Amino acid sequence: MSTTTVFRRLHGHGLFVMPNAWDIGSARLLEHLGFKAIATTSSGLAASLGRLDQSVSRDELLAHVESLTAAVSVPVSVDAEMCYPASPGGITRTVDLIAGTGAAGLSIEDYDPETGILPLDLAVERVREAVGAAVRHGLVVTARAENHLYGVNDLDDTTTRLQAYRDAGADVVYAPALTEAADIEALVNGVGAPANVLALPGVPPVPELEKLGVRRVSTGGALAWAAYGALARAGREILRNGTTSYFDAALPPADRDAFTPQRNH
């Protein structure tokens, strides 16, 4: 069974957690721990290149995704930001190229770092273009309403946007940074499509999210920043104190089995 089919079926019922990997090692470890699918993270990928978010080129993203899909056997969904509408071929070409990496899905967001939240009609047009390309490859399309991530705390507008993206063909809807249980439940009920929730501090635990009707939970760049935070703390400890207590929290040898020679899929 193809990873695209597996990924689509995961959204059929219940809830699954899809953590976001930022390199081959994190992807393999997350698969080793038992997650049924993983996603990329734009901020985590940028950090692995020594940059801030929204600074990765399309070619860099594609090379990154190819390396992850070759390293794991579970479905991989791509954080494609705006799907590079200004790059040659625009969104359609981006989706076709992502399909060629072996990915099982992708997300498209309605935020432009230069202009802010996109007008609804333009955002819908872009979702529709992404879906039109994705259906040829069986990719699962997640449409994101970025309001709450950028301080626009208007649940009605977020719901309206996600309803429009659903009607444009999106398979999954996603409003990152929505944290209150009542708001999450209202959005799930209001949109009537599989919904993803970003696991942030203050978000209800996964079992409660499942009761609210959430279909998928992701971590965004949080795992990457947690790993880099552990690295920074370890570096400061040995630099300032000359001690190595940081090693107490190192990856157990039993989990290092994830780092094996390249496998064939």
Side-chain angles (χ1 to χ4, degrees), residues 156-182:
D156 289 339
D157 182 68
T158 297
T159 302
T160 296
R161 284 174 171 272
L162 293 181
Q163 288 171 337
Y165 303 159
R166 174 205 64 199
D167 292 344
D171 302 291
V172 183
V173 297
Y174 182 16
L178 202 62
T179 60
E180 296 296 326

Side-chain angles (χ1 to χ4, degrees), residues 70 98 124 129 135 176 189 199 206 215 234 238 245 250:
I98 287 173
V124 169
E129 181 179 352
V135 294
N189 293 334
V206 169
R215 194 61 53 83
I238 196 166
S245 66

Side-chain angles (χ1 to χ4, degrees), residues 95-180:
V95 174
D96 288 340
L97 289 169
I98 287 173
T101 67
L106 62 99
S107 64
I108 181 170
E109 58 194 50
D110 61 3
Y111 174 81
D112 186 321
E114 295 184 1
T115 62
I117 302 296
L118 298 175
L120 181 57
D121 58 348
L122 176 57
V124 169
E125 178 184 328
R126 290 183 174 182
V127 170
R128 186 174 291 114
E129 181 179 352
V131 169
V135 294
R136 297 197 299 268
H137 308 286
L139 299 180
V140 174
V141 175
T142 300
R144 299 173 44 145
E146 305 292 280
N147 274 344
H148 303 271
L149 200 59
Y150 294 98
V152 183
N153 296 313
D154 187 338
L155 184 61
D156 289 339
D157 182 68
T158 297
T159 302
T160 296
R161 284 174 171 272
L162 293 181
Q163 288 171 337
Y165 303 159
R166 174 205 64 199
D167 292 344
D171 302 291
V172 183
V173 297
Y174 182 16
L178 202 62
T179 60
E180 296 296 326

